[in-house]
Amino acid sequence: MSRVYNFSAGPSCLPEEVLKECAEEMLDYNGTGQSVMEMSHRSKAYKPIIEHAEAQVRKLMKVPENYKVLFLQGGGSTQFAMVAQNLGIHTGKAAYIQTGVWAKKAAQEAKHLGLTVDIIASSEDKNYSYIPKVEKIEGDYDYAYICFNNTIMGTHYEYIPDTGKIPLVADISSCVLSEELDVSKFGLLFAGAQKNLAPAGVTLVIIREDLITDTPRQGTPTMMCYKTHSDAASMYNTPPCYTIYVLAKVLDWIEKKGGVQAIHKLNVEKADWLYNYLDSSSYYHATAEKGSRSLMNVPFLTKETDAEKAKVINDKFVAEAAKAGLVNLAGHRLVGGMRASIYNAMTLEGVKALTAFMDKFAKENF
Ligand SMILES: *Cc1c(COP(=O)(O)O)cnc(C)c1O
């Protein structure tokens, strides 16, 4: 067996220790003679698993008492709608900061559902290569919305906008548990699991209790109400049981590593290594501006400026990297170039292997 260094943006690499444990327990979980995949979600064996997952989210993210932790389905994309349907209920107005593909999709969904959407800032002018500075958000908005880490563009907020009494909603799909975050500054946080938490299939939602409404927008399906899932402790219907089981193991792994602070330190080390390399290279450069750079997703280009030639060299880079055991380095189909996603489970050795390959490739091709 040989494992590769996997730089996929999502679904992405998981800690090897976690995968091994899952494999060991595959046929017989904890003496039950069953796989967790085969169990009733209401069984005695399963209940402690989902409870432990929630307890670990609370502990590691220091979730205040007055917030609910929910395990939902439908990915980050479904949250674009749920947020609008459940929070957009007083003035029907929401403020969005547009920092890339995911933020734009979220705003479009709110508009589609009949909300009045104000794009109060955007970095579209420079191909989303930076995070606009919006220190304060004011107005009669039901909520303000940001995408905290922009997976495709490789940008990340280095500040949290002050929204006063307006609930702040943040999509943290690609940076959840990569750094410490003050949950109390937000009304609602959500993250699709497949970037930094678990396999695809579960979406983590952390919501302040007063935002869980009995009266969502008219026509909101039962499954799209936070209240439905909150009242049933994420067991209204069958939850993605196996994914939650893996999630709990990933959270235990983070704790064993020393918790979020320790993971963050490692992430800074990895990202610094890669950005320092890119900034000092005459062959490659990062596309995200300093001061807005993601620790998790690092898009980069080569010095080739001719579009046709760049495409050829990029394809060659991605193919040769894969042969060298460094996989999934193609940039997002909408932006091209390359992108290295270096989530929690990526090791510093993996990042060093990448820069060593980049050096070799540059010598052979430029
Ligand atoms: C991947 C991603 C999404 C979409 O998630 P799905 O689970 O595929 O719906 C949304 N927001 C961000 C920031 C993402 O990285």
Side-chain angles (χ1 to χ4, degrees), residues 239-313:
C241 307
Y242 193 78
T243 307
I244 292 169
Y245 154 83
V246 183
L247 166 63
K249 287 198 185 298
V250 171
L251 297 171
D252 289 347
W253 175 80
I254 292 175
E255 188 172 32
K256 268 185 236 138
K257 284 271 196 191
V260 184
Q261 203 177 1
I263 283 280
H264 179 233
K265 198 165 157 264
L266 268 169
N267 285 334
V268 169
E269 231 179 294
K270 288 181 317 197
D272 277 354
W273 179 274
L274 185 49
Y275 284 118
N276 287 339
Y277 176 79
L278 289 165
D279 289 343
S280 62
S281 168
S282 41
Y283 304 109
Y284 307 96
H285 62 273
T287 54
E289 286 183 14
K290 283 181 187 167
S292 296
R293 286 175 168 179
S294 169
L295 291 179
M296 298 282 98
N297 312 99
V298 185
F300 61 92
L301 299 171
T302 71
K303 66 172 187 170
E304 181 55 65
T305 49
D306 178 83
E308 286 298 310
K309 285 188 197 156
K311 200 185 159 333
V312 173
I313 199 91

Side-chain angles (χ1 to χ4, degrees), residues 72-99:
L72 307 184
Q73 300 192 63
S77 302
T78 298
Q79 290 310 305
F80 301 164
M82 279 182 83
V83 163
Q85 287 177 311
N86 288 268
L87 270 55
I89 55 173
H90 301 294
T91 62
K93 282 174 69 177
Y96 281 73
I97 301 181
Q98 200 159 293
T99 50

Side-chain angles (χ1 to χ4, degrees), residues 177-341:
L177 285 162
S178 67
E179 63 192 336
E180 289 182 293
L181 193 61
D182 182 353
V183 174
S184 73
K185 294 236 163 42
F186 300 87
L188 190 153
L189 293 162
F190 70 84
Q194 72 274 23
K195 311 284 162 66
N196 215 5
L197 289 177
V202 72
T203 311
L204 173 67
V205 173
I206 301 173
I207 179 171
R208 214 174 61 211
E209 280 169 353
D210 62 288
L211 296 173
I212 302 175
T213 181
D214 271 329
T215 53
R217 290 172 74 84
Q218 202 182 357
T220 301
T222 308
M223 275 294 287
M224 299 288 280
C225 300
Y226 291 119
K227 183 143 196 327
T228 304
H229 301 285
S230 164
D231 284 353
S234 303
M235 289 271 200
Y236 172 74
N237 69 327
T238 316
C241 307
Y242 193 78
T243 307
I244 292 169
Y245 154 83
V246 183
L247 166 63
K249 287 198 185 298
V250 171
L251 297 171
D252 289 347
W253 175 80
I254 292 175
E255 188 172 32
K256 268 185 236 138
K257 284 271 196 191
V260 184
Q261 203 177 1
I263 283 280
H264 179 233
K265 198 165 157 264
L266 268 169
N267 285 334
V268 169
E269 231 179 294
K270 288 181 317 197
D272 277 354
W273 179 274
L274 185 49
Y275 284 118
N276 287 339
Y277 176 79
L278 289 165
D279 289 343
S280 62
S281 168
S282 41
Y283 304 109
Y284 307 96
H285 62 273
T287 54
E289 286 183 14
K290 283 181 187 167
S292 296
R293 286 175 168 179
S294 169
L295 291 179
M296 298 282 98
N297 312 99
V298 185
F300 61 92
L301 299 171
T302 71
K303 66 172 187 170
E304 181 55 65
T305 49
D306 178 83
E308 286 298 310
K309 285 188 197 156
K311 200 185 159 333
V312 173
I313 199 91
N314 292 348
D315 288 350
K316 189 173 180 204
F317 180 99
V318 171
E320 286 187 11
K323 265 190 227 145
L326 308 159
V327 305
N328 292 320
L329 281 161
H332 190 275
R333 62 198 151 78
L334 294 175
V335 291
M338 274 72 68
R339 171 178 52 171
S341 292

